[in-house]
Amino acid sequence: MNDLRLVQSRTPTAQRAKRKGDLLAAGWEHLHLHTIMQTIGVFALFVAGMAWLQFSTPNLVGNDGYYHIKMAYLLRTESLRPDFIWLPLTVLDPNRFVDHHYLFHLLLTPFTFGDLRLGAKWGSVFMAALAGTALWRVLRRREIPWATLWALGFFVVSDAFLYRMSMPRAQSLSLALLFIAVAWLLDGHYRRLVLVGFLYVWAYNAFPLLIALAGLYGIATLLTRGRFEWRPLAYSLLGIAAGLVVNPYFPQNVLFLWHHIAPKIGSPTEISVGNEWYPYKTDQLVRNMAPGLVLLALGWMAQAAFGARRRTESLFLTLCVLLFGMMLMQSRRFIEYAPPFVLLFAAYHVGPLLARTASRRSNMLSIGLLLAGLAVGGFYTVPRAQAAVQRSAPYERYQAAATWLAENTPTHSRVFQTDWDDFPRLFYFNHHNTYLVGLDPVFLQRANPGLYKIWVDITEGRNPTPGLTIRTFFDAEYVFTDHRHAAFLRVAADDPYLKEVYRDDFAVIFAVTFP
């Protein structure tokens, strides 16, 4: 029998089959290596572009990045679940704390060696490059002609979007996960959405967006194929449920969702949350997203005039644009999702149209049109984004005041701040003290509604004896404020219970005393 197999393996047919198999294996290896090299090259392009923008200022973009890089540092230097003692009067007290950016903070830990400021900046570059590369991957998998050029529209579609991508925050990772989900949805790899859902829960509280995308895909299949494709929704929900339960913060993380998201869904204007939760004015939105609006119009026209190659995919991307567009009308923070999905929509419909109308002789014309669009859009968007990045508040803004507190106050003594968004910078420079409120004013309001109202009255100068109230109700020994709180400073100057102990160009610190 062995001799027979040996003879058969030496026949011309067997030898040709073997050579064909070897060629296929070699071709697959070459294709696989080519894809890896392409992906690395595209990632490097995004790193270069985002680094150029990021390092046009020495400061971190936004405020929250100071908190995120400090948390990543604590994960590396203290424990994978450090005791969070710094906001004891909020829903983030030591017994209820939930790190709802846990995976994001873990991914930032390699950037916490050395200067944390530089680490945060490089971390934001890395995350944004991941998002851009994930967009490119979707375009390439859909066989969009000149996918790399279309993907570079990432730098063109909106200056406000670029600004948000420059923040050391989880929205870049969130966008990358969404694009990975879109790629697997359109490829029919529905089971892989379990992994996306699980990771999304660990990374960021925007994971309901995955449910929305899976639902929209089901609607698209219902309208185009006559049946609702339920599997993406089921697998997404399964992954999200697993991420919530198999979680270092379970079951507190489930209750925290209610505290964090519910007030924003209801009426965010009732509490003075960050500007990102309020809508843009129409003229401001048009300026911030002018190239994106042009792309949207081109995408609509291409879709309407020439139809779509794949009706389900086309309708799904249309529904995605409508969803994120409506969300953007409600809150400016969704500028981090609407523009890139507009870019994906436009590339999907306009790209094949350019290729279809291009002959061998006019391919260069189509490429030239894309390059011209990138150049014109870039000349509009990039300088505006760079100017916004360069307006970031000075890195050292509260460094001296926070250092003074660390050196001149008892360990874990509570600091009363007159502004909730001062916490990230104070925490970054000083985790020696604890603080009254931070990350979101909702966290204090949900835990102590009465204290929240008293705090607002004090910060706006409506309490004639703030020092006594601060010591009695908040058990705080020090008060930190900036020079913008003029009404409070006027009252504090005449308050016998407050003694000014520190002042610089950015901040004033009072000790709460008894006369």
Side-chain angles (χ1 to χ4, degrees):
M1 181 64 70
N2 290 336
D3 292 341
L4 177 60
R5 289 176 180 172
L6 180 62
V7 170
Q8 289 175 338
S9 68
R10 291 175 177 175
T11 64
T13 301
Q15 290 175 350
R16 285 196 300 270
K18 184 177 183 301
R19 285 196 299 269
K20 184 177 180 180
D22 291 342
L23 287 172
L24 287 173
W28 172 252
E29 283 186 23
H30 175 73
L31 179 63
H32 189 61
L33 179 61
H34 179 68
T35 300
I36 291 175
M37 296 306 297
Q38 266 195 320
T39 303
I40 293 173
V42 170
F43 181 76
L45 281 176
F46 280 104
V47 166
M50 292 306 303
W52 180 83
L53 182 62
Q54 178 67 233
F55 288 94
S56 64
T57 176
N59 308 305
L60 297 190
V61 181
N63 283 327
D64 288 356
Y66 293 94
Y67 162 76
H68 291 305
I69 196 65
K70 186 60 173 283
M71 280 300 297
Y73 170 79
L74 293 175
L75 286 178
R76 181 177 66 81
T77 59
E78 293 194 1
S79 74
L80 290 178
R81 189 180 171 181
D83 293 329
F84 193 87
I85 62 171
W86 294 282
L87 293 171
L89 297 183
T90 73
V91 297
L92 297 178
D93 65 38
N95 295 322
R96 291 181 288 179
F97 174 72
V98 173
D99 186 351
H100 55 294
H101 302 89
Y102 189 66
L103 178 59
F104 176 65
H105 292 155
L106 286 176
L107 293 175
L108 280 181
T109 55
F111 300 95
T112 60
F113 294 89
D115 189 331
L116 291 185
R117 175 184 59 90
L118 292 178
K121 293 175 81 65
W122 279 114
S124 67
V125 168
F126 178 83
M127 299 296 176
L130 280 182
T133 305
L135 168 62
W136 169 79
R137 185 64 180 168
V138 176
L139 295 171
R140 190 173 183 277
R141 291 294 301 168
R142 300 340 291 161
E143 299 179 344
I144 303 302
W146 312 294
T148 302
L149 290 179
W150 280 107
L152 291 177
F154 191 92
F155 295 101
V156 171
V157 68
S158 165
D159 56 274
F161 166 72
L162 272 185
Y163 176 80
R164 296 282 295 181
M165 289 295 104
S166 299
M167 292 180 175
R169 294 179 60 180
Q171 54 255 36
S172 298
L173 179 58
S174 172
L175 183 60
L177 289 170
L178 286 180
F179 279 138
I180 292 170
V182 169
W184 286 345
L185 264 174
L186 298 182
D187 282 344
H189 300 312
Y190 304 144
R191 292 182 181 179
R192 298 181 185 181
L193 296 177
V194 174
L195 177 61
V196 178
F198 185 90
L199 295 177
Y200 214 153
V201 170
W202 278 50
Y204 192 38
N205 267 357
F207 62 82
L209 292 176
L210 177 62
I211 301 173
L213 291 192
L216 291 180
Y217 186 78
I219 293 172
T221 59
L222 177 64
L223 295 176
T224 58
R225 303 175 188 171
R227 62 180 177 83
F228 184 87
E229 180 54 83
W230 56 270
R231 288 175 295 172
L233 188 58
Y235 286 122
S236 298
L237 289 170
L238 179 61
I240 287 170
L244 288 171
V245 174
V246 184
N247 191 293
Y249 294 97
F250 182 79
Q252 294 97 327
N253 57 332
V254 178
L255 179 60
F256 177 76
L257 288 175
W258 175 252
H259 290 312
H260 191 205
I261 298 176
K264 314 299 192 307
I265 296 175
S267 178
T269 57
E270 292 178 0
I271 301 173
S272 182
V273 293
N275 287 335
E276 64 181 20
W277 286 104
Y278 297 91
Y280 282 115
K281 294 181 179 179
T282 303
D283 60 332
Q284 186 180 9
L285 177 60
V286 171
R287 290 194 300 271
N288 287 349
M289 197 178 158
L293 295 175
V294 172
L295 281 174
L296 180 61
L298 291 174
W300 283 120
M301 288 189 291
Q303 183 188 45
F306 299 96
R309 298 171 301 155
R310 303 160 182 153
R311 294 178 60 225
T312 300
E313 293 183 2
S314 176
L315 180 57
F316 169 64
L317 294 178
T318 301
L319 293 175
C320 288
V321 167
L322 291 175
L323 170 68
F324 288 117
M326 289 187 293
M327 292 171 64
L328 180 57
M329 294 300 175
Q330 293 296 316
S331 169
R332 67 184 65 188
R333 71 167 302 151
F334 295 113
I335 196 73
E336 61 213 40
Y337 300 111
F341 272 87
V342 164
L343 175 60
L344 175 59
F345 171 82
Y348 184 87
H349 293 97
V350 178
L353 175 61
L354 285 176
R356 188 187 312 166
T357 56
S359 64
R360 291 182 178 178
R361 294 181 179 179
S362 60
N363 265 343
M364 292 305 297
L365 176 61
S366 298
I367 295 174
L369 288 173
L370 282 175
L371 289 173
L374 286 172
V376 173
F379 277 121
Y380 176 84
T381 297
V382 174
R384 289 171 56 87
Q386 186 182 46
V389 165
Q390 291 174 344
R391 288 194 295 270
S392 300
Y395 162 77
E396 66 279 5
R397 184 175 184 175
Y398 295 146
Q399 181 176 9
T403 302
W404 187 94
L405 283 168
E407 294 176 349
N408 294 277
T409 64
T411 303
H412 300 163
S413 56
R414 187 171 303 159
V415 177
F416 180 104
Q417 315 121 260
T418 55
D419 214 334
W420 63 271
D421 60 1
D422 289 338
F423 169 77
R425 291 171 181 269
L426 292 173
F427 177 63
Y428 174 85
F429 288 113
N430 170 12
H431 63 285
H432 166 88
N433 294 101
T434 63
Y435 301 93
L436 177 68
V437 59
L439 300 181
D440 193 324
V442 166
F443 296 158
L444 176 62
Q445 191 272 340
R446 300 286 287 188
N448 290 288
L451 289 184
Y452 175 80
K453 186 179 184 305
I454 295 172
W455 173 70
V456 171
D457 287 341
I458 291 173
T459 61
E460 295 182 357
R462 293 195 294 264
N463 187 312
T465 57
L468 181 60
T469 305
I470 288 169
R471 192 58 182 264
T472 303
F473 289 95
F474 298 95
D475 193 28
E477 301 174 49
Y478 297 89
V479 177
F480 176 93
T481 188
D482 56 38
H483 295 285
R484 293 172 296 178
H485 287 77
F488 170 79
L489 286 171
R490 283 194 298 270
V491 174
D494 297 327
D495 189 339
Y497 294 94
L498 292 178
K499 178 184 178 183
E500 183 177 316
V501 292
Y502 177 88
R503 178 183 289 262
D504 62 23
D505 292 339
F506 299 107
V508 181
I509 298 174
F510 296 92
V512 183
T513 62
F514 288 95

